[in-house]
Amino acid sequence: MTNDTQHSNDSSEDGVVADDRVRIFDTTLRDGEQAPGFGMDRRAKLRMAHALEALGVDVMEAGFPQASPDDFAAVAEIARSVRHSTVCALARCQTADIDTAGRALEAAQHSRIHVFLSTSPLHREHKLGMSKQQVIDTAIAAVERAKALCHEVEFSAEDAMRTEPDYLAEVFSAAIAAGATTVNAPDTVGYVTPAEIAERFAYLRKHVKGAERVVFSSHCHDDLGMAVANSLAAVSAGARQIECTINGIGERAGNASLEEVVMALRVRGPYFGVDSRIDARRLVQTSRLLTQLTGQAVPRNKAIVGDNAFAHESGIHQHGMLKHRDTYEIMRPQDVGMGETKLVLGKHSGRHALRSRLQSLGHSPEEAAMDEIFARFKTLADKKREIHDEDLEALALGQDPDAAGPWRIVQLNSTSHLGGSASASVRLAHDDGREVGEAAIGDGPVDAVLRAIERATGTGLELTQFQVRAVSEGGDAQGQAQLTARHAARDWRGNGVSTDIVEATALAALSIVNRIERQAAPTAAAQPQVQGATA
């Protein structure tokens, strides 16, 4: 196969490389997946590949076929099923690697072999044992062999940023003459600064022969925390491909974060003058799929996709956000698929944000009542990390949030069965003296306990969102279950914390039921009692 059918994403009809768009080369499935703790099996890699295709990545590096039979099979399966992104396979500049990559990509609609070879003095001497000319000869042979097996070839000079600039330009010139369509100058060990990498790319674009015919690519690691900044600096100096990963996963401290470079290019569009074709509304969805597949959570303060990326607790910030969202947000959470901005109520929150949240819950206290509620809120906030809606409901109704009922759990049991089903039984007590027991079968223990609580309380809940996260560390770590359920055409949120996730879920569901019943209680209490009536 020759590169006559090169993917149109890379060149315009007259053969000149387009300059108004940055190609996103995602290596989550290769560089990201090989990092400790982020391994994925073949089925998980296929799911992730489909998500990356839907996200709109130009190139996805599906794996390193020579590494293992399973990696070969995963790349081949992805190559067969992906149609709108170029599927890429990594290969050392060795005949066996290149031939194996070619076989794995045979069914791809758009294929790329990514060959790499070290070029720095350190690597030439201690890793390869090669002279400068031997490196060039090896690179030429590898590109020529790969060219016959795929639609396009990318050549990477490993440790490029610690390579002599004039020699790096010579290597790239040779690779382009041999047929490379993309040349990658990686910061393999995350060593350089933005100013240095911009200077290097400007030098290469000026001194590499055939530079006008290829795409220059940046692949930055985050060892000094500058991977995204370095990638963007490379773009400013003419790079038109960024190699990155979802959530920034990768070797050691990771790679440039895809979601961060994409949104930086978009939010600062007038500054960079280029954009990508990524569907940014899928960023959060794709990030969360990766955490599900790898079991590795994203830090709360992670830019773009972290839980706190669009959350505000400071009273000053919340007041500004309620006045005009642009005061403290440079993009909308909907732009990245996050949903709504969250004004998190805690000890730093102010009266304005508290009143706004109470009003959204259906409470409009007078000033005197608001003074008392705010004082009790501050006392509670000093004891709890976050204040949830059920706490606010209790404060508004003059109740103790820590003892808010009317339902409470007396007993809870759950059992999982072979085949995936589970059963749960609950015994609940009500403030009016009742005790109710119910049991149910569900698809899993969480589903079963929710069904049992619905039966026991007589309150139907349509679960719309369910999240679990750790709120402490260690083997006895507590987990927080956060539920959103629809009842009577309204969404209700509940939270529960326990070392047992099933119990945390039950507590969260019961908090929703209690809020529904408490909200109805004032209306019922307002009705005149009939004399002689008994409980």
Side-chain angles (χ1 to χ4, degrees), residues 41-43 45-46 62-63 69-79:
D41 60 24
R42 194 188 314 173
R43 184 170 60 177
K45 291 185 78 168
L46 187 62
D70 191 62
D71 221 32
F72 176 93
V75 174
E77 192 166 355
I78 291 169

Side-chain angles (χ1 to χ4, degrees), residues 167-474:
Y167 177 62
L168 183 60
E170 185 180 354
V171 174
F172 279 164
S173 298
I176 293 169
T181 52
T182 299
V183 289
N184 179 39
D187 182 17
T188 303
V189 292
Y191 177 74
V192 300
T193 65
E196 290 173 313
I197 202 167
E199 181 182 358
R200 181 61 56 89
F201 272 88
Y203 177 92
L204 293 172
R205 292 184 68 226
K206 181 178 180 180
H207 291 89
V208 170
K209 296 176 183 177
E212 71 283 355
R213 302 197 306 271
V214 298
V215 173
F216 280 84
S217 177
S218 169
H219 179 120
C220 296
H221 279 266
D222 208 34
D223 298 70
L224 291 177
M226 292 187 283
V228 170
N230 283 339
S231 299
L232 296 171
V235 168
S236 294
R240 287 299 176 264
Q241 176 176 283
I242 295 178
E243 304 193 2
C244 47
T245 60
I246 299 297
N247 297 340
I249 68 172
E251 288 281 9
R252 302 181 312 280
N255 290 269
S257 165
L258 182 150
E259 55 275 7
E260 293 177 28
V261 296
V262 164
M263 292 311 296
L265 292 174
R266 195 148 299 172
V267 172
R268 299 303 309 277
Y271 177 82
F272 289 105
V274 291
D275 199 359
S276 72
R277 70 182 189 97
I278 294 294
D279 182 356
R281 295 166 299 178
R282 292 180 174 270
L283 287 172
V284 169
Q285 173 186 340
T286 310
S287 167
R288 289 178 178 169
L289 174 62
L290 181 62
T291 65
Q292 175 188 337
L293 295 176
T294 63
Q296 301 293 330
V298 172
R300 288 181 69 98
N301 65 327
K302 171 73 170 65
I304 313 300
V305 296
D307 286 347
N308 288 356
F310 297 94
H312 307 265
E313 183 180 332
S314 163
I316 295 172
H317 287 208
Q318 290 177 339
H319 189 260
M321 285 290 298
L322 290 167
K323 293 278 188 180
H324 196 293
R325 67 182 309 139
D326 288 350
T327 52
Y328 290 102
E329 283 188 355
I330 59 174
M331 57 193 140
R332 299 184 309 157
Q334 295 90 341
D335 294 340
V336 299
M338 180 68 81
E340 291 293 332
T341 293
K342 294 184 292 186
L343 298 185
V344 179
L345 294 181
K347 65 180 181 179
H348 302 294
S349 300
R351 184 188 184 97
H352 199 65
L354 175 60
R355 180 183 289 280
S356 177
R357 180 68 68 85
L358 288 173
Q359 288 175 342
S360 72
L361 295 173
H363 299 279
S364 299
E366 299 292 335
E367 281 303 313
M370 187 65 197
D371 289 340
E372 182 182 349
I373 292 171
F374 186 63
R376 294 175 64 209
F377 163 76
K378 282 293 188 178
T379 300
L380 181 64
D382 282 334
K383 297 190 297 181
K384 298 187 68 172
R385 185 174 299 178
E386 289 182 15
I387 307 298
H388 302 294
D389 286 351
E390 54 266 31
D391 299 319
L392 299 180
E393 290 277 7
L395 288 173
L397 296 172
Q399 300 172 344
D400 178 4
D402 292 329
W407 291 101
R408 60 187 180 279
I409 297 175
V410 176
Q411 188 175 8
L412 170 65
N413 295 294
S414 66
T415 305
S416 296
H417 307 290
L418 289 175
S421 64
S423 60
S425 62
V426 296
R427 178 161 289 279
L428 307 178
H430 195 277
D431 286 348
D432 63 10
R434 286 180 290 157
E435 277 203 11
V436 182
E438 282 289 351
I441 295 175
D443 294 332
V446 168
D447 183 46
V449 76
L450 290 175
R451 291 174 185 268
I453 287 175
E454 282 185 300
R455 290 181 180 180
T457 62
T459 303
L461 300 175
E462 179 189 349
L463 188 63
T464 59
Q465 188 174 6
F466 173 54
Q467 289 183 314
V468 176
R469 66 180 180 90
V471 293
S472 58
E473 299 179 353

